[in-house]
Structure formats: C-alpha cells, structure tokens
Amino acid sequence: KELLLSLLNKVDQMFNEPRETDFAEHGLTLSEKLRRFFDGQHDLNEQKVTEVFIDFWGQGLKDPIFQAKIQNIYNNWRGAIKEIIQEGIDQQEFDPNLSRYFPHLICSIIEGASLQYLIDDDDLDLDEYFTFAFGIIYGGLIGTNKLREPYPSDLTDAQWEKIASLMPEQSSVG
C-alpha cells in the first residue's frame, strides 16, 4: 500500500511541478496560467501517466486512505485554479458572479477528456479539444459566454434573419 501511495504522490508531483515552475519563473498572464492546467494534463495523457491515476480512482472507491489522497489532489488542483480566478476577479478581468463552479468545471472537462482519450484516442484530438474547451472556459470567466438563452433584444438583424431562414414555411389557411 505504501508503494502505491508513493506512486500516486509521484503522479501528483508530475502534474504540479511543471506548472508551479512556469508560474514562478515566467510572468504569465491569467490566460496562460489557466491554459497550463490543460497543457499539463495533455502532457500526462501523452506520457500515459493518466492511466496510472485512473487505476487509483478504483482504489479510492474501496480504500479510505486512497480516497483521502485523491480528494486532497483534487482539492489542491481546484485551489490552484481558484487562486488564478481570484486574481482575475481582483484585476477585474473575470466576472465574480460566474466564477464559483469554474474550478470544478475545469477539472471535470479535463478529466473527462482524459478518460475518453484513454478509451478511444483515435476519436479525440486532445490539442483541438483542449483549445476549444479552454476558449469556452475563458470566455465564461470574462463573461462573454451568455449562460442563458438570448433575449430578442440581444440579437442583431442578421441573426434574426438567420433564425427566420431556419423556420419552416407557414402555410396560410383561408
């Protein structure tokens, strides 16, 4: 059990150290800091390290020691993301009303992609996926992604014309 916990610590270290080094040695923007989470996971997937971590998930469901360790890893990961988001809020770049669940969302998106990639790497281009996912996340944090249906007043004339062109023709009865 101690050997397995040591291996789990090594996997955690492999994810955190490169990102922490980048943060310490470079003057990164908020965008670059958040992107490091996606890039770090991509690197671990390419190195097949994620496969080892997934094996520990199963252990975490059965063994309270592994569960506590995995919870700690996720708490630390979300905590680091929260710090970046708070920095963005303090700099008035991120919308404070939209930021509460983004650390959980980011972890879910990254881990979900990793799991799918492990099962079917031919169907998922991680570079494209992480670029797409990062754009959605970052847009949400700065408040450009509307998290509601658009109001009619939100739409331009061109958008209304596009919507109208998608509607079926109405036949008149008369």
Side-chain angles (χ1 to χ4, degrees), residues 3-174:
L3 181 61
L4 291 175
L5 283 170
S6 175
L7 183 58
L8 185 55
N9 285 331
K10 181 65 177 171
V11 168
D12 186 32
Q13 181 182 12
M14 290 175 73
F15 181 79
N16 290 321
E17 279 188 0
R19 187 187 71 250
E20 290 170 359
T21 300
D22 274 355
F23 286 13
E25 293 179 0
H26 302 94
L28 301 177
T29 65
L30 293 169
S31 172
E32 291 168 329
K33 287 179 182 179
L34 279 176
R35 182 62 201 219
R36 291 299 192 268
F37 285 90
F38 291 85
D39 295 341
Q41 186 65 40
H42 182 279
D43 293 345
L44 292 181
N45 287 343
E46 293 298 318
Q47 298 169 27
K48 305 295 184 192
V49 174
T50 302
E51 290 176 32
V52 174
F53 187 70
I54 297 296
D55 286 340
F56 285 110
W57 280 0
Q59 291 292 325
L61 295 173
K62 297 184 246 176
D63 186 309
I65 293 173
F66 283 98
Q67 182 181 13
K69 178 60 183 169
I70 292 170
Q71 284 176 334
N72 187 54
I73 288 171
Y74 280 115
N75 285 335
N76 290 338
W77 195 12
R78 287 189 304 264
I81 294 168
K82 284 177 188 176
E83 288 177 14
I84 296 167
I85 291 172
Q86 187 59 52
E87 183 181 344
I89 291 169
D90 293 345
Q91 294 175 14
Q92 298 181 341
E93 287 191 40
F94 293 164
D95 185 337
N97 299 315
L98 301 176
S99 62
R100 180 170 181 223
Y101 290 108
F102 273 96
H104 295 85
L105 182 62
I106 291 168
C107 290
S108 297
I109 287 173
I110 291 172
E111 290 296 304
S114 297
L115 186 58
Q116 291 179 67
Y117 182 75
L118 289 175
I119 300 300
D120 191 5
D121 64 343
D122 290 335
D123 190 53
L124 183 63
D125 182 322
L126 279 180
D127 290 324
E128 286 182 22
Y129 175 88
F130 282 151
T131 297
F132 177 76
F134 175 76
I136 290 171
I137 292 292
Y138 199 77
L141 285 167
I142 62 175
T144 59
N145 292 344
K146 296 210 180 340
L147 300 177
R148 61 171 171 76
E149 291 295 316
Y151 296 120
S153 60
D154 292 341
L155 303 177
T156 65
D157 288 341
Q159 289 169 320
W160 273 114
E161 289 172 15
K162 178 70 173 170
I163 291 169
S165 72
L166 299 172
M167 303 303 258
E169 291 287 326
Q170 297 289 324
S171 62
S172 60
V173 177

